[in-house]
Amino acid sequence: MRKISKVTAMQRYAAECGRSGTRVALVPTMGCLHAGHMSLVHKARKQVGPGGRVVVSIYVNPTQFAANEDLDAYPRTLDRDLADCRAAGVDVVFMPSDSSMYPDRERGGYSTYVNEENLSASMEGGSRPTHFRGVTTVVAKLFNIVRPDVAIFGAKDWQQAAIIRRMVRDLNMAVKITVAPTVREADGLAMSSRNANLSPAERAQADVLYRSLRAARAAVRAAGSVSAAKLRSGIRRVFKTAPLAKLDYVEFFHPDTLEPVRTVSSGTRMALAARFSRARLIDNERL
Ligand code: AMP
């Protein structure tokens, strides 16, 4: 397994793959890898086969964090991540520095961003207004550097995946986007690097997101269709059982357009976010 930290070295590697017709799959991550990330790595290998190259990027992208967010507290476990990647048969780990990704950014020397202007406004974009501009910018940069044939994203970040698909279509990027299902802990909590920032008491209540998704799904399956308002008040009741969690938003929306719906039926997607003392968690499912 190769470790590459220079953008120019990664570009040289990508150019060689291009010349030799070797297929490349990219799994973008912020590190602190868990079984959810590794499921994307396995999907990547399936997509390019044994002769292809699987590249995992590990980069905690500063432009997707606002000044008051958890950039410094974001968990970092590089040695373990590298061992996990090696064991999973990853070919290249790309781990660039901030100065190579955003030269001179602190002094205004970096000034080009990619902005998706529609799907980015709601949900995560409502709570974190500059977040998706950072995500689309770094993913566009990673696509330019790694030149992947396919890139794998997790359904855990459904809105992010929808925005990436839109960016790829709108900007004619020659990469296939694959979305892999959410991997969960035994109690249903979606695996997330940020789970490491939950206290034991918070961890015990963190299944409230999944319990909310299950309760909404059960209500929709039982009635065929339910008003979003009624489901919302049901979810507020579920949150009363987890006083360490503060509900940030809950939304019911069309899976592709992300348009909110007033009447929820089978196929509608639900997403929610909750704050704990040192972690903000998100989850979503098809109802
Ligand atoms: P992150 O390192 O949190 O930025 O996530 C990197 C990629 O892994 C994103 O495409 C996420 O959607 C995906 N991912 C994170 N958690 C999970 C999970 N529990 N199951 C599946 N994919 C995940």
Side-chain angles (χ1 to χ4, degrees):
M1 185 178 83
R2 282 177 61 171
K3 290 183 277 175
I4 300 182
S5 23
K6 286 219 155 62
V7 167
T8 47
M10 189 67 237
Q11 284 177 311
R12 266 200 307 280
Y13 183 96
E16 275 163 33
C17 289
R19 273 194 295 278
S20 60
T22 305
R23 282 171 61 74
V24 174
L26 172 65
V27 180
T29 82
M30 299 206 297
C32 194
L33 302 181
H34 51 65
H37 294 114
M38 298 330 276
S39 77
L40 309 189
V41 169
H42 296 309
K43 198 144 219 148
R45 175 59 69 197
K46 276 218 187 87
Q47 299 254 329
V48 294
R53 297 286 179 267
V54 172
V55 179
V56 171
S57 62
I58 298 182
Y59 181 56
V60 183
N61 171 39
T63 63
Q64 70 191 67
F65 290 80
N68 61 335
E69 288 180 352
D70 60 347
L71 176 61
D72 294 333
Y74 197 83
R76 288 162 170 88
T77 57
L78 187 59
D79 290 344
R80 207 188 69 206
D81 293 351
L82 292 172
D84 288 351
C85 285
R86 198 171 286 117
V90 169
D91 297 294
V92 176
V93 173
F94 177 49
M95 31 189 221
S97 65
D98 285 342
S99 59
S100 65
M101 287 297 270
Y102 297 105
D104 222 11
R105 187 168 79 95
E106 302 300 312
R107 282 176 293 161
Y110 183 91
S111 50
T112 306
Y113 293 87
V114 177
N115 213 8
E116 190 287 324
E117 298 191 344
N118 179 1
L119 308 178
S120 302
S122 61
M123 298 190 276
E124 283 304 283
S127 296
R128 307 178 68 192
T130 57
H131 172 64
F132 285 121
R133 181 182 87 143
V135 170
T136 42
T137 299
V138 80
V139 172
K141 286 167 71 66
L142 288 169
F143 287 175
N144 280 335
I145 296 164
V146 179
R147 298 262 156 212
D149 298 281
V150 39
I152 325 291
F153 292 85
K156 152 95 182 346
D157 298 275
W158 186 266
Q159 186 178 15
Q160 166 174 284
I163 291 166
I164 300 294
R165 275 192 202 283
R166 179 64 62 88
M167 172 184 81
V168 162
R169 192 203 71 183
D170 286 356
L171 298 183
N172 312 99
M173 295 173 165
V175 52
K176 179 185 160 208
I177 303 299
T178 296
V179 178
T182 301
V183 177
R184 299 181 177 282
E185 303 284 0
D187 66 346
L189 174 65
M191 289 194 181
S192 164
S193 310
R194 288 187 167 101
N195 294 349
N197 288 343
L198 296 169
S199 71
E202 289 174 333
R203 172 63 191 85
Q205 294 184 12
D207 68 341
V208 65
L209 288 90
Y210 189 61
R211 285 194 286 119
S212 301
L213 290 163
R214 292 274 303 262
R217 183 188 284 160
V220 170
R221 297 274 154 102
S225 71
V226 190
S227 81
K230 188 166 173 203
L231 288 175
R232 259 198 196 91
S233 46
I235 285 155
R236 277 193 214 100
R237 277 198 301 278
V238 176
F239 265 72
K240 288 223 164 76
T241 66
L244 299 176
K246 300 265 168 304
L247 182 62
D248 182 349
Y249 66 78
V250 49
E251 198 57 83
F252 305 91
F253 58 93
H254 185 280
D256 302 322
T257 64
L258 310 188
E259 251 348 286
V261 299
R262 285 223 185 126
T263 307
V264 179
S265 54
S266 168
T268 301
R269 203 131 190 133
M270 167 177 154
L272 76 172
R275 286 180 200 284
F276 295 82
S277 61
R278 289 177 58 241
R280 182 175 169 282
L281 304 185
I282 61 173
D283 203 349
N284 74 88
E285 276 295 339
R286 179 183 192 274
L287 296 183

